[in-house]
Amino acid sequence: MVWTALQKYSTMGITFVSGIILARLLTPFDYGCIGMLSIFMVLADAFIDGGFGSALIQKKRPTQEDYSTIFWWNLGMAGVMYAILFMCAPAISRFYNTPILCDVLRVQGLVLFIHAMNLIQRNQLRKNLNFKLLSIVTIATTFISLGVTIYMAYIGMGVWALVTQNLMVSLIPSLVFWFYVKWRPKWVFSWQSFKELFSFGFYMFLTHLVNNFGQKIQGLLIGKVYSPAIMGYYSKAESTEKLASTSISGIMTQVTYPLYAEVQDNKQALSNIIKRLTMTLAYITFPLMFILLLCAKPIFVLLYSDRWLQSVPYFQVLCFAGLAACLQAVNLQAISAIGKSKTMFVWSLVKRAIGIGAVVLGLMFFGMKGLLVGVIVNYWFSYFVNISLVSKHVGYRFWRQIEDLLPVAIVSVIAALLSYGVGHLLHLSMYPDGLVKASVYAVVYLGWSFIFKPEAFTYFLTTIPDRFNFVKKLKKNKRTGE
């Protein structure tokens, strides 16, 4: 987790700083073009992996035949999916009434081949818990790709700067992993291995496909109904929100899936891990998301300039949805690790059907505001379904999970209301108002933590190495003094 945290926060910091620069060099139209194509890229990428990556990690002792079979499958599917995107690119550009999207999709689609070439190596590193190499390569890649992207944006390359960034982020790790990991595919394709992994991976593939479509549907609708610029505002709000909501959960989920797979037969151990992870995540992300929601306007003006003010209301709504998004994967991966891939798929269909229905109906009757409400319904309904599945198949009961989260949720809301009330009474200008709200929130939340020492706070402290944990040091010094 230390190496994964280093990777996540280093890349997040670099991306954060470069995003500030790029927001001043690129336009909402440029970001909108990439956002409109994201649903097609995500779905094509899901077909390539096909859930076999998760199947290889879930299988305790995969063989050379297993790895080789999936490698050739991935590469073949990359060719098929790129051909489909290449032929459909003109129709997609006409659908959005944006001609440049045809060339953009055809160039960006090359990333599918790059993903296919290094999926096995990346999965082997994850299965062996070699997060050190993954982290170093990811950080170096982020530095290099963003340097090139900023330069291209500076010389006026527009959307092509973002396309180049996407290609480099995939290409550099692929080259490093290919030469570092000694594994090479054999010229074999075992139907027996394929069928064995297919029985688990097929439903994982369908689950990923349905989930990705459900999460990206709003981009498709916004791009069709509104202008590329509006899509750009939404994309900037979404990417900024995800820096917060998925940064911490992303660290844990990269590490936890292999660990879940190791204890998949011990439901009690699995329940304990889920509880600790969920409460720790909630303790960190809930206050973070509420502070961002309260201070959205000064944050966007300070970081991106007032050109991006139209992103603020989108960002605030997505922050509320992000509270559910950050907790989803912890539960979902547990169901995957115990082999319930078919159950995941069936319930993914239910979740996404209701979520997509909420988004579409919201857009039809209430426009952009209705669509945003639909996004909230989509995320929170998915979260409640996920914890219901954990309750049934793992044994960490639904109401017990809600009960464990309630203290953090209640205090987070109270702190937010107090912060908003103080800001409303003082009538300060934009930046002092944001500073006061954040300060009041921090005082209330941390005061509750240190005075009442809730269970979530205790779990959070256990994740901090002793040399950095000042609370443990204070207790140790106090005992020494006594």
Side-chain angles (χ1 to χ4, degrees):
M1 286 187 66
V2 170
W3 278 108
T4 308
L6 178 63
Q7 168 203 323
K8 196 72 177 181
Y9 287 114
S10 297
T11 55
M12 186 174 70
I14 299 165
T15 304
F16 183 66
V17 174
S18 66
I20 296 172
I21 300 171
L22 290 173
R24 288 166 166 76
L25 297 174
L26 300 173
T27 66
F29 176 87
D30 298 325
Y31 282 95
C33 289
I34 299 298
M36 287 188 289
L37 295 178
S38 64
I39 187 170
F40 302 103
M41 293 302 302
V42 165
L43 294 180
D45 200 45
F47 272 95
I48 294 172
D49 181 32
F52 291 114
S54 298
L56 287 170
I57 294 177
Q58 198 267 347
K59 186 175 180 178
K60 291 189 174 181
R61 291 178 180 81
T63 65
Q64 170 68 7
E65 283 191 346
D66 293 333
Y67 283 124
S68 297
T69 298
I70 301 309
F71 176 84
W72 295 118
W73 169 266
N74 290 341
L75 200 59
M77 286 303 298
V80 172
M81 296 313 300
Y82 181 75
I84 293 173
L85 289 180
F86 190 93
M87 291 185 293
C88 293
I92 291 172
S93 66
R94 288 194 299 270
F95 174 79
Y96 287 120
N97 196 28
T98 308
I100 194 175
L101 293 183
C102 177
D103 292 334
V104 169
L105 183 58
R106 285 175 171 176
V107 175
Q108 186 160 304
L110 295 172
V111 79
L112 300 176
F113 291 104
I114 303 172
H115 284 173
M117 290 293 292
N118 80 99
L119 275 170
I120 297 298
Q121 290 88 341
R122 189 181 292 272
N123 275 310
Q124 286 183 338
L125 291 171
R126 286 187 64 201
K127 188 172 182 66
N128 296 326
L129 302 181
N130 189 353
F131 293 100
K132 179 179 179 179
L133 178 63
L134 287 167
S135 302
I136 292 172
V137 172
T138 302
I139 294 169
T141 299
T142 306
F143 264 116
I144 297 169
S145 62
L146 288 177
V148 173
T149 304
I150 290 172
Y151 174 74
M152 292 183 68
Y154 178 74
I155 63 175
M157 296 297 290
V159 68
W160 293 107
L162 297 175
V163 173
T164 302
Q165 179 186 27
N166 291 334
L167 289 171
M168 292 186 68
V169 164
S170 299
L171 180 61
I172 296 173
S174 180
L175 294 174
V176 173
F177 295 149
W178 185 262
F179 288 105
Y180 181 86
V181 179
K182 301 305 180 183
W183 178 86
R184 292 293 182 270
K186 290 185 176 180
W187 293 98
V188 296
F189 188 94
S190 170
W191 283 107
Q192 182 179 350
S193 293
F194 182 82
K195 290 175 182 178
E196 181 183 349
L197 294 168
F198 183 82
S199 61
F200 177 86
F202 176 66
Y203 288 109
M204 288 296 296
F205 153 66
L206 292 178
T207 300
H208 290 319
L209 191 67
V210 171
N211 284 336
N212 288 333
F213 182 77
Q215 291 171 1
K216 295 294 182 180
I217 185 64
Q218 54 265 28
L220 179 70
L221 295 172
I222 293 171
K224 176 60 178 176
V225 177
Y226 299 99
S227 67
I230 296 296
M231 183 65 228
Y233 289 125
Y234 182 86
S235 295
K236 175 59 71 175
E238 185 179 44
S239 62
T240 305
E241 181 273 327
K242 285 189 180 301
L243 279 175
S245 68
T246 63
S247 59
I248 301 166
S249 62
I251 294 168
M252 293 189 175
T253 53
Q254 284 190 55
V255 177
T256 53
Y257 187 70
L259 297 178
Y260 281 166
E262 290 298 321
V263 299
Q264 58 185 282
D265 299 323
N266 187 339
K267 298 296 178 63
Q268 185 59 50
L270 193 56
S271 296
N272 291 337
I273 293 174
I274 297 170
K275 177 182 177 179
R276 292 176 69 93
L277 289 177
T278 300
M279 294 182 70
T280 303
L281 271 175
Y283 181 81
I284 301 170
T285 55
F286 273 48
L288 176 61
M289 301 309 294
F290 274 110
I291 289 175
L292 290 175
L293 191 153
L294 290 166
C295 305
K297 185 175 180 180
I299 288 173
F300 266 75
V301 174
L302 177 65
L303 298 180
Y304 307 130
S305 79
D306 54 8
R307 173 197 291 183
W308 294 92
L309 269 177
Q310 199 167 334
S311 295
V312 169
Y314 306 153
F315 175 74
Q316 290 174 316
V317 172
L318 290 173
C319 280
F320 188 72
L323 295 173
C326 70
L327 300 174
Q328 281 194 45
V330 172
N331 290 277
L332 197 62
Q333 285 196 329
I335 301 301
S336 171
I338 63 175
K340 298 292 184 180
S341 56
K342 184 176 181 180
T343 300
M344 284 178 59
F345 166 63
V346 172
W347 279 102
S348 291
L349 282 178
V350 175
K351 289 187 298 185
R352 296 312 173 188
I354 293 176
I356 291 171
V359 170
V360 172
L361 290 174
L363 178 65
M364 288 175 58
F365 292 102
F366 303 103
M368 194 65 180
K369 291 181 180 179
L371 180 143
L372 293 171
V373 172
V375 171
I376 294 175
V377 172
N378 190 355
Y379 277 98
W380 279 99
F381 180 74
S382 295
Y383 171 66
F384 287 125
V385 169
N386 290 345
I387 64 176
S388 298
L389 292 175
V390 166
S391 176
K392 179 179 180 181
H393 297 287
V394 178
Y396 183 22
R397 297 302 176 190
F398 182 95
W399 291 112
R400 181 61 182 171
Q401 295 183 61
I402 299 298
E403 184 181 335
D404 288 337
L405 287 176
L406 270 181
V408 171
I410 291 172
V411 174
S412 297
V413 172
I414 291 173
L417 293 174
L418 289 173
S419 302
Y420 179 80
V422 171
H424 182 72
L425 289 173
L426 293 179
H427 297 290
L428 299 173
S429 58
M430 182 173 62
Y431 292 123
D433 179 69
L435 183 60
V436 167
K437 287 178 179 177
S439 300
V440 170
Y441 195 104
V443 168
V444 173
Y445 195 78
L446 292 176
W448 165 72
S449 300
F450 284 105
I451 293 172
F452 296 99
K453 295 180 176 57
E455 194 175 16
F457 179 57
T458 304
Y459 287 149
F460 167 70
L461 291 178
T462 62
T463 66
I464 304 174
D466 288 348
R467 62 182 178 273
F468 300 122
N469 194 331
F470 72 94
V471 175
K472 288 184 179 179
K473 287 183 178 181
L474 286 174
K475 290 181 178 179
K476 183 178 179 181
N477 293 336
K478 184 178 179 180
R479 286 195 298 268
T480 304
E482 292 173 352

